[in-house]
């Protein structure tokens, strides 16, 4: 690959420079604050894919005394031909001078060959005070691009466009928090057109980033598929001596195992979410839901989750589940996981007969107590008895993936996972529906999947993600 270019992100203090760097470098650890002066030293952030550095973003302090700097430059320049060298002379002469610390920090990468990304806030009116900054940047002779990153609700971008167009080769509106992925690639292509030496490496960069995005979707599907299999097949177990069993009632034992089963499933979902977030380099994210407040509307086992993510009987019928799904689940509850050892069920169907998952019509896992050799008993709770649980997990997982995969790294707002208002799985093809349903059934019966079934399930989950992506984008 050709030499990776470097871009210095410069501008007035507190106008969104660090937000642009965070998004374009895919780094959510970069400090972003409302107070001016958050960035005091230049800091380089390379973006790499598979070990290859595609480009480097340099976050810089904001201009503090641009008019004083421009006065010095004009006083020491003979003609336009020496502008770039005059800027270099200014930096070399004033390094260590406290009056121009920020200007030297932001100009240093430019005299070393970095391209310019000049960031302004399009929600505030254009002011002539910025002209000194833009003139200084033009003196460097470096390829330049201006971004209008509107922070507030007002829009003065038309005035900014007219002014910036007189100083910069390309001017674009770019919302660092909300700009879609294609806009990121568009900026790289624009820079490639400004500097011939950068055209090839930036063309390669867009290729690598597009391939990375597809690879991440594929990997995310695998993460979701693995979590679904784990959660559908999970069984909470406890081994007791006969004395322990005699001192613990079946109802108490059922309650203990049930609570541990619920806790495990919630924690497994949290692990799934963290894996997806880290896959997309979101390591500082905060979620709207309180992860330990299980009784909220966001909880995996809440009525709200069941309402929004469980599928209809009509959907189940097309998936090959059939109208007798609930009865079948009840029958499975009687036969699932035959007796451990020679003992019969002691606890019976505690939590299964007369109790329903989510407070609806889905059977809970059942408690089983069986005799083992050497005077021991074993108690089990799970696996889940109804594949609807799998659809709730799937819906929540795909929704979370969508928010993460479309979230820019400049975002600092809480991640609010609002439920869907329409069941997106209705758009899934029949074959994928059947693969998912068959896999969920096998998992809840603790039947292993062979390599072919694993592959088909992974592909079906990836298809679910594509359907959901289309539905969300069409919705907006």
């Amino acid at each position: 690959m050709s030499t990776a270019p470097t871009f210095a992100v410069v501008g007035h203090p507190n106008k969104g420079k660090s937000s642009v760097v965070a998004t374009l470098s895919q780094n959510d650890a970069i400090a972003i604050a409302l107070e001016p002066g958050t960035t005091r030293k230049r800091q380089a952030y390379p973006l790499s894919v598979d070990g290859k550095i595609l480009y480097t973003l340099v976050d810089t302090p904001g201009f503090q005394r641009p008019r004083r700097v421009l006065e010095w430059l004009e006083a020491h320049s003979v003609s336009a031909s020496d502008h770039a060298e005059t800027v270099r002379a200014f930096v070399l002469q004033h390094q260590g001078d406290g009056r121009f610390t920020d200007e030297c920090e932001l100009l240093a990468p430019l005299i070393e060959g970095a391209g310019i990304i000049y960031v302004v806030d399009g929600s505030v009116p254009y002011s002539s005070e910025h002209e000194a900054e833009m003139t200084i940047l033009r003196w460097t002779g470096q390829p330049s691009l201006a971004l209008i990153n509107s922070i507030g609700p007002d829009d003065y971008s038309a005035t900014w466009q007219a002014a910036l167009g007189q100083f910069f080769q390309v001017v674009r509106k770019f919302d660092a928090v909300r700009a879609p992925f294609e806009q990121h690639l568009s900026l790289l292509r624009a820079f490639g057109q400004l500097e011939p030496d950068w055209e090839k490496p930036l063309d390669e960069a867009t290729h690598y980033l597009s391939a990375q995005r597809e690879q991440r979707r594929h990997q995310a599907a695998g993460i979701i598929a693995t979590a679904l299999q784990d959660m559908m097949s999970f069984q909470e177990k406890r081994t007791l001596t006969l004395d322990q069993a005699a001192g613990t009632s079946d109802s108490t034992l059922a309650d203990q195992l049930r609570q541990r089963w619920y806790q495990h499933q919630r924690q497994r979902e949290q692990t799934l979410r963290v894996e997806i977030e880290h896959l997309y380099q979101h390591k500082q994210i905060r979620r709207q839901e309180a992860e330990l407040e299980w009784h909220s509307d966001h909880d995996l086992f809440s009525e709200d989750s069941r309402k929004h993510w469980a599928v209809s009987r009509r959907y189940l019928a097309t998936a090959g589940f059939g109208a007798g799904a609930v009865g079948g689940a009840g029958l499975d509850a009687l036969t699932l996981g035959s007796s451990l050892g020679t003992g019969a069920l002691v606890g019976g169907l505690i939590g299964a007969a007369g109790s329903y998952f989510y407070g609806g019509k889905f059977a809970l896992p059942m408690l089983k107590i069986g005799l083992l050799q050497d005077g021991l008993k074993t108690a089990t709770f799970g696996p889940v008895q109804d594949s609807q649980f799998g659809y709730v997990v799937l819906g929540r997982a795909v929704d979370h993936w969508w928010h993460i995969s479309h979230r820019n790294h400049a975002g600092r707002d809480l991640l609010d996972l609002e439920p869907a208002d329409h069941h997106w799985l209705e758009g899934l093809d029949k074959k994928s529906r059947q693969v998912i349903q068959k896999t969920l059934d096998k998992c809840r019966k603790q039947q292993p999947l062979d390599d072919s079934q694993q592959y088909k399930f992974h592909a079906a989950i990836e298809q679910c993600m594509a359907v959901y992506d289309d539905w969300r984008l069409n919705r907006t």
Side-chain angles (χ1 to χ4, degrees):
M1 182 174 177
S2 305
T3 303
T6 296
F7 307 114
V9 182
V10 300
H12 214 58
N14 200 30
K15 299 303 179 185
K17 298 188 303 298
S18 294
S19 294
V20 170
V21 173
T23 287
L24 295 181
S25 65
Q26 298 186 11
N27 188 336
D28 70 347
I30 294 173
I32 297 173
L34 296 178
E35 300 81 11
T38 301
T39 304
R40 299 312 308 269
K41 295 286 185 178
R42 68 182 183 275
Q43 179 66 49
Y45 297 96
L47 177 64
S48 62
V49 174
D50 296 333
K52 297 179 184 291
I53 296 178
L54 306 184
Y55 53 81
T56 298
L57 277 300
V58 181
D59 197 9
T60 67
F63 279 101
Q64 296 294 334
R65 297 179 174 85
R67 290 178 179 173
R68 295 281 301 278
V69 174
L70 184 58
E71 288 173 3
W72 189 97
L73 294 176
E74 291 174 339
H76 291 77
S77 172
V78 176
S79 68
S81 63
D82 68 8
H83 282 178
E85 285 304 314
T86 306
V87 174
R88 178 183 296 274
F90 172 85
V91 174
L92 294 176
Q93 181 172 328
H94 293 87
Q95 285 179 342
D97 184 339
R99 295 174 301 165
F100 300 109
T101 299
D102 289 348
E103 278 77 12
C104 288
E105 281 292 308
L106 73 88
L107 290 173
L110 302 183
I111 65 175
E112 295 169 1
I116 299 168
I117 298 180
Y118 182 65
V119 181
V120 301
D121 180 4
S123 65
V124 299
Y126 171 76
S127 170
S128 59
E129 70 179 15
H130 294 86
E131 292 185 9
E133 300 174 0
M134 295 188 288
T135 301
I136 293 168
L137 295 175
R138 187 167 61 184
W139 275 46
T140 68
Q142 289 302 106
S144 61
L145 180 150
L147 297 183
I148 303 174
N149 177 42
S150 294
I151 299 174
D154 297 326
D155 185 10
Y156 298 93
S157 56
T159 307
W160 277 108
Q161 288 267 9
L164 293 169
Q166 300 177 50
F167 290 87
F168 297 93
Q169 295 155 288
V170 175
V171 180
R172 297 281 180 87
K173 295 179 68 174
F174 185 80
D175 186 332
V177 175
R178 300 175 183 83
F181 177 70
E182 182 54 40
Q183 282 193 26
H184 304 186
L185 301 186
S186 177
L187 290 182
L188 298 181
R189 296 188 189 102
F191 248 124
Q193 295 171 1
L194 297 180
E195 173 55 57
D197 290 343
W198 291 347
E199 185 174 4
K200 183 178 179 181
L202 290 179
D203 182 63
E204 292 176 349
T206 60
H207 170 76
Y208 275 110
L209 289 173
S210 297
Q212 179 195 59
R213 192 163 181 82
E214 290 301 312
Q215 179 64 17
R216 281 177 171 173
R217 179 186 289 218
H218 183 71
Q219 291 176 280
I223 292 171
I224 294 172
T226 298
L228 261 174
Q229 293 174 65
D230 291 347
M231 296 174 74
M232 286 298 295
S233 62
F234 177 69
Q235 186 177 58
E236 186 67 51
K237 299 179 181 179
R238 183 180 174 189
T239 301
L240 307 90
T241 64
L242 292 177
D243 289 341
Q244 289 174 325
T248 305
S249 69
D250 291 346
S251 60
T252 299
L253 186 57
D255 185 62
Q256 291 174 351
L257 293 184
R258 181 186 296 113
Q259 293 305 316
R260 286 165 59 179
W261 186 85
Y262 278 125
Q263 182 181 25
H264 175 275
Q265 301 289 40
R266 288 167 173 141
Q267 290 178 340
R268 183 64 182 88
E269 185 186 49
Q270 293 302 321
T271 300
L272 160 64
R273 291 184 171 182
V274 170
E275 288 181 25
I276 295 293
E277 290 160 10
H278 286 190
L279 174 64
Y280 284 89
Q281 297 296 110
H282 287 287
K283 298 182 180 180
Q284 312 293 325
I285 204 161
R286 296 179 299 155
R287 302 192 194 96
Q288 181 67 39
E289 76 233 28
E291 295 184 3
L292 299 180
E293 295 178 1
W294 303 124
H295 300 293
S296 71
D297 289 341
H298 291 285
D299 181 32
L300 173 62
F301 297 103
S302 69
E303 173 63 23
D304 188 64
S305 291
R306 183 201 64 79
K307 173 184 175 183
H308 288 288
W309 299 115
V311 296
S312 66
R313 281 182 173 272
R314 177 177 174 274
Y315 176 91
L316 292 174
T318 64
F321 197 43
V326 176
L331 179 61
D332 287 336
L334 298 176
T335 60
L336 178 61
S338 58
S339 176
L340 299 177
T342 58
L345 294 182
V346 177
L349 301 181
I350 294 175
S355 296
Y356 296 93
F357 195 47
Y358 292 141
K361 56 187 178 183
F362 311 128
L364 274 167
M366 67 179 183
L367 173 72
K368 288 173 51 178
I369 304 178
L371 293 175
L372 290 175
Q373 296 178 354
D374 301 324
L376 300 176
K377 285 188 176 182
T378 182
T380 62
F381 188 85
V384 64
Q385 293 301 296
D386 198 311
S387 57
Q388 281 281 27
F389 175 68
Y391 288 109
V392 173
V393 173
L394 174 61
R396 286 165 60 94
V398 171
D399 178 65
H400 171 261
W401 160 81
W402 186 88
H403 281 87
I404 295 302
S405 66
H406 287 80
R407 182 182 177 92
N408 286 339
H409 291 75
R412 296 295 185 270
D413 55 320
L414 294 176
L415 180 63
D416 192 359
L417 303 175
E418 58 180 277
D421 54 11
H422 168 76
H423 215 296
W424 52 281
L425 273 180
E426 298 293 338
L428 193 63
D429 63 276
K430 185 175 181 180
K431 181 179 179 181
S432 296
R433 296 188 189 197
Q434 292 173 340
V435 168
I436 292 172
Q437 183 59 53
K438 183 176 180 180
T439 303
L440 296 181
D441 284 343
K442 288 179 74 69
C443 289
R444 69 182 180 83
K445 296 174 183 178
Q446 295 186 309
Q447 297 174 354
L449 301 178
D450 60 31
D451 291 343
S452 175
Q453 291 167 332
Q454 292 275 11
Y455 175 81
K456 291 178 181 178
F457 185 48
H458 189 145
I461 297 298
E462 201 162 355
Q463 183 61 29
C464 285
M465 296 160 71
V467 167
Y468 193 70
D469 199 17
D470 289 342
W471 174 72
R472 290 295 302 228
L473 293 176
N474 290 332
R475 184 185 179 201
T476 56

